[in-house]
Amino acid sequence: MRRPPRTTGRRGALLGASAAVACAALTACGNSGDGYAAVGPPRPSSATTARPTGGVTLVPLDAPKSQDASGTSTPTAPTAPTARPSASKDAKSGRSSTHSPSPTPTTVPATTPAALSWSTPTRKPTTHRWCEDVTLTFHNSGGTAVRSGTVTFGTHIIGALGIDWATIESTEQLPVPIGADARKQKTWTVCVDAWRVPLGMHIETRDVSVKWL
């Protein structure tokens, strides 16, 4: 009977080690009673495999949401750009946006000249028949005061039968100044020559003329 050839050396040692490992694996699997050795990676369990049961819907992304006081999220609307106030331009240019009304020019009334008027002379006899007291009241209705002037009296010489024999004039100074819209009263004693008024005659100062500046 022929013996199988013996493998010696390093190669024989490697073959022996491989056979021992294979035998140990068979022995461990044999303990379970199946007699098979597990080869390759384990299969995935069917219980862990799941697939989607419904259709897939694509939803677009919404704008950022803000949360109000009640906890509900609401979309945040984009804010519109705010216009710059025009006051900045006025401030740079030094102008004010508030327009103040223009002052109303004051109308100065025109000054009117003095306008003098006077009353009818009031006469009063004196102790001499050739003299009498004459009173006048002056009124300046103008816008300027009377600064100077004269008043001229016309004295009539009346005879015993009422005949007007003559008229004698005399001049006196005005009681100045007489202001604008002012009144002033003055009394003068007007006399004529005594020989012009003989016994039984008298005088009457009836006429008055005034000049003023």
Side-chain angles (χ1 to χ4, degrees):
M1 186 174 181
R2 192 177 178 179
R3 294 182 179 180
R6 177 180 292 180
T7 302
T8 60
R10 187 176 181 181
R11 184 177 181 183
L14 292 174
L15 292 175
S18 301
V21 170
C23 192
L26 292 175
T27 304
C29 295
N31 292 335
S32 61
D34 293 335
Y36 294 97
V39 180
R43 295 182 179 180
S45 175
S46 60
T48 62
T49 302
R51 294 182 179 182
T53 59
V56 178
T57 302
L58 299 178
V59 180
L61 296 176
D62 295 333
K65 298 180 179 180
S66 61
Q67 194 170 20
D68 55 12
S70 61
T72 305
S73 298
T74 57
T76 302
T79 58
T82 58
R84 297 179 62 187
S86 60
S88 59
K89 295 182 180 180
D90 296 336
K92 291 182 179 180
S93 61
R95 296 178 300 177
S96 175
S97 60
T98 303
H99 300 284
S100 58
S102 302
T104 303
T106 303
T107 303
V108 179
T111 303
T112 58
L116 199 60
S117 61
W118 53 93
S119 65
T120 301
T122 301
R123 300 180 297 110
K124 183 179 180 180
T126 63
T127 57
H128 303 287
R129 62 180 182 272
W130 56 87
C131 296
E132 65 180 355
D133 291 335
V134 180
T135 302
L136 293 176
T137 301
F138 299 92
H139 176 215
N140 179 13
S141 59
T144 305
V146 176
R147 301 296 181 184
S148 63
T150 59
V151 54
T152 301
F153 298 103
T155 304
H156 297 259
I157 301 174
I158 308 300
L161 299 176
I163 300 173
D164 190 347
W165 291 94
T167 301
I168 307 301
E169 291 185 351
S170 60
T171 302
E172 301 290 344
Q173 295 295 319
L174 282 175
V176 292
I178 304 174
D181 197 24
R183 295 177 183 272
K184 185 169 287 189
Q185 189 178 76
K186 175 71 174 177
T187 300
W188 293 269
T189 300
V190 180
C191 297
V192 296
D193 295 330
W195 64 267
R196 292 181 181 272
V197 186
L199 188 60
M201 301 179 67
H202 66 279
I203 62 173
E204 294 180 3
T205 304
R206 302 173 181 173
D207 304 329
V208 177
S209 63
V210 179
K211 294 180 181 180
W212 69 89
L213 296 175

